[in-house]
Amino acid sequence: QPILAPQQYWTLMDDKDFSEDSPDYADTEARAALLTYTPLPERTATNLANFVEHIRSTNPAEADQLQAQFASMNIIATLGDAMQDVGLDKNDIADAYTVWLLNAWSAAHGDLSETPPETAAAVSLQMKFAMLQAPDLLALDDALKQELAESLLIQGVLIAASASDAAGNPAASAEVAKAVRQGALTAGIDLDAIRLTDTGFVPVTP
């Protein structure tokens, strides 16, 4: 689901200063805990099972593969460790959205380079600011926050895996990029309308 429509997001960001000594940075950091949750293992099990069943409705073979993979490893903990390496928190819905958006943008643009921690932190801050403007998100209880975050994380890692598998095959990479673009548009995000910089995402200017 879209967090904010892109035009709302860029309008909100236009006059914001996120340098570390700025009021905008301080206010966002002070309120960031509103976007975190306390996870429960049983919720993760339910969320993964529901994700598999959702996939099964359109692709039973892929659902079986995912079910086997989820049974063989603690996918959320593994993702959490990888996120921690770049300063992100798996128990934060803004950081989960950061993972999804970075992977989606990278797949759409054929950029499989690793995201530097500084860039991940900049995007995370942008996502925190945007989500803190959305009362409906702030009103979610821990169970719904965990469901949202874990869904975003799984979608993000599947996008990254698809892009990696297609690497070196221009036709396959183009198909992945097309599918990711279409999926993002369904969520209200035009991945061609933004570009990634060292300081986060910025709108593409005509």
Side-chain angles (χ1 to χ4, degrees), residues 11-34:
T11 299
L12 286 167
M13 294 294 293
D14 274 348
D15 61 348
K16 301 305 173 186
D17 175 10
F18 287 127
S19 56
E20 290 194 7
D21 58 350
S22 71
D24 292 323
Y25 177 92
D27 179 64
T28 299
E29 286 293 289
R31 300 177 63 221
L34 296 172

Side-chain angles (χ1 to χ4, degrees), residues 37-178:
Y37 60 89
T38 300
L40 292 178
E42 54 267 34
R43 285 193 206 127
T44 296
T46 298
N47 293 339
L48 294 181
N50 289 342
F51 191 92
V52 167
E53 290 312 306
H54 178 72
I55 297 297
R56 194 179 302 283
S57 65
T58 56
N59 192 331
E62 183 181 352
D64 287 342
Q65 291 176 350
L66 283 175
Q67 188 172 34
Q69 184 177 12
F70 293 163
S72 69
M73 64 184 295
N74 188 334
I75 184 68
I76 298 299
T78 300
L79 289 172
D81 290 342
M83 291 172 68
Q84 198 168 35
D85 288 343
V86 293
L88 302 180
D89 179 4
K90 70 179 178 63
N91 302 324
D92 183 317
I93 56 175
D95 283 356
Y97 194 76
T98 295
V99 169
W100 175 84
L101 185 56
L102 285 170
N103 285 348
W105 187 90
S106 296
H109 293 275
D111 180 358
L112 301 186
S113 59
E114 289 191 15
T115 302
E118 297 80 7
T119 304
V123 175
S124 170
L125 190 62
Q126 289 181 312
M127 297 305 103
K128 286 179 171 63
F129 175 81
M131 288 188 171
L132 287 169
Q133 317 309 311
D136 289 350
L137 278 174
L138 300 181
L140 296 179
D141 62 19
D142 275 11
L144 290 173
K145 286 179 183 176
Q146 185 171 346
E147 180 181 0
L148 173 61
E150 291 178 347
S151 176
L152 287 166
L153 291 177
I154 295 299
Q155 290 178 58
V157 77
L158 291 178
I159 288 170
S162 295
S164 179
D165 289 346
N169 183 329
S173 294
E175 283 298 313
V176 170
K178 179 180 178 181

Side-chain angles (χ1 to χ4, degrees), residues 10 105 109 190-197 200-205:
W10 297 122
W105 187 90
H109 293 275
D190 181 354
L191 295 172
D192 292 320
I194 55 177
R195 63 184 177 89
L196 183 61
T197 73
F201 283 104
V202 297
V204 171
T205 53

